[in-house]
Amino acid sequence: MAKTGTTTQGLRAAIERSGYYPALVAEAVESAVGGEAVSSYVVHQETTFDANEVRRHVTVLVLTAHRFIVSHTDEQAADTSSPTPYATTSTESVKLDRISSIVVSRVVANPESYTPGTLPREVVLTIGWGAVSRIDLEPAACGDPNCDADHGYTGNSTADDLSLRVSDAGDGPDTVRQTLAFAQALSEATADTAVSR
């Protein structure tokens, strides 16, 4: 379940409420945040099924006055590299002026009768800052159906550093609302950064 808020103590409490290795996750996130004040955050736990295993994953997004911090923690079963189960946690700190795109995709039911202010049933928050890009290529063609010349390739490059999906059915309406609030806070912060440059 995602939690959002605006204080360092609230962030710690949300991580603890998630119940997902809270000491490990909190230490990693608090180390990345350092002494900065927390403007907004989201803690989102996700359970996935991989073959015969159930795996948990937690994503923590934090906004400060100058940075966007993202933390991922995954658990792994014992394997050939480790005789005991283990967890991997990573944090990335991104200056706000590096964020190049914030995409909020909303899925709404019965759009013909949509009322402003109604929560979407699903939200996908995608944030790009240039660390990871996806390139989709396809053969280029001309308008001549009989042409057999090689026209090279055409395609798109898409920033795809982070994508967080929450839904009313899976996470509850509060999570959808909280993710939208975080997206708005991040969007406003990056707009303020662009204006001040």
Side-chain angles (χ1 to χ4, degrees):
M1 170 178 268
K3 298 292 177 193
T4 189
T6 57
T7 67
T8 303
Q9 294 82 11
L11 172 59
R12 178 67 185 239
I15 290 170
E16 288 175 1
R17 277 192 306 275
S18 79
Y20 183 81
Y21 306 124
L24 173 65
V25 173
E27 181 180 49
V29 171
E30 289 169 359
S31 176
V33 170
E36 287 191 77
V38 173
S39 302
S40 186
Y41 62 83
V42 174
V43 177
H44 182 256
Q45 184 176 320
E46 180 179 21
T47 302
T48 58
F49 300 93
D50 182 18
N52 295 330
E53 297 179 19
V54 176
R55 294 191 183 190
R56 295 180 300 166
H57 174 88
V58 69
T59 301
V60 180
L61 308 179
V62 179
L63 177 63
T64 71
H66 306 287
R67 298 180 299 146
F68 164 68
I69 298 162
V70 59
S71 174
H72 294 287
T73 304
D74 292 288
E75 64 183 356
Q76 306 292 329
D79 58 23
T80 56
S81 67
S82 175
T84 60
Y86 61 99
T88 304
T89 188
S90 64
T91 57
E92 184 172 2
S93 176
V94 181
K95 290 183 179 180
L96 290 178
D97 62 2
R98 293 244 355 255
I99 294 179
S100 56
S101 67
I102 301 167
V103 180
V104 180
S105 300
R106 302 164 193 241
V107 177
V108 297
N110 304 313
E112 69 281 355
S113 60
Y114 177 77
T115 304
T118 303
L119 283 178
R121 70 178 189 198
E122 180 178 309
V123 171
V124 179
L125 172 60
T126 305
I127 303 167
W129 57 90
V132 178
S133 293
R134 182 181 66 235
I135 298 177
D136 296 317
L137 294 175
E138 61 184 38
C142 68
D144 181 359
N146 297 319
C147 180
D148 60 358
D150 183 354
H151 295 284
Y153 289 89
T154 185
N156 297 310
S157 175
T158 308
D160 197 17
D161 295 305
L162 172 80
S163 189
L164 181 72
R165 177 189 172 273
V166 297
S167 69
D168 184 19
D171 303 293
D174 287 343
T175 301
V176 173
R177 187 176 296 108
Q178 293 162 350
T179 302
L180 288 171
F182 181 85
Q184 181 175 347
L186 182 60
S187 184
E188 290 170 358
T190 56
D192 290 344
T193 301
V195 169
S196 65
R197 275 193 259 174

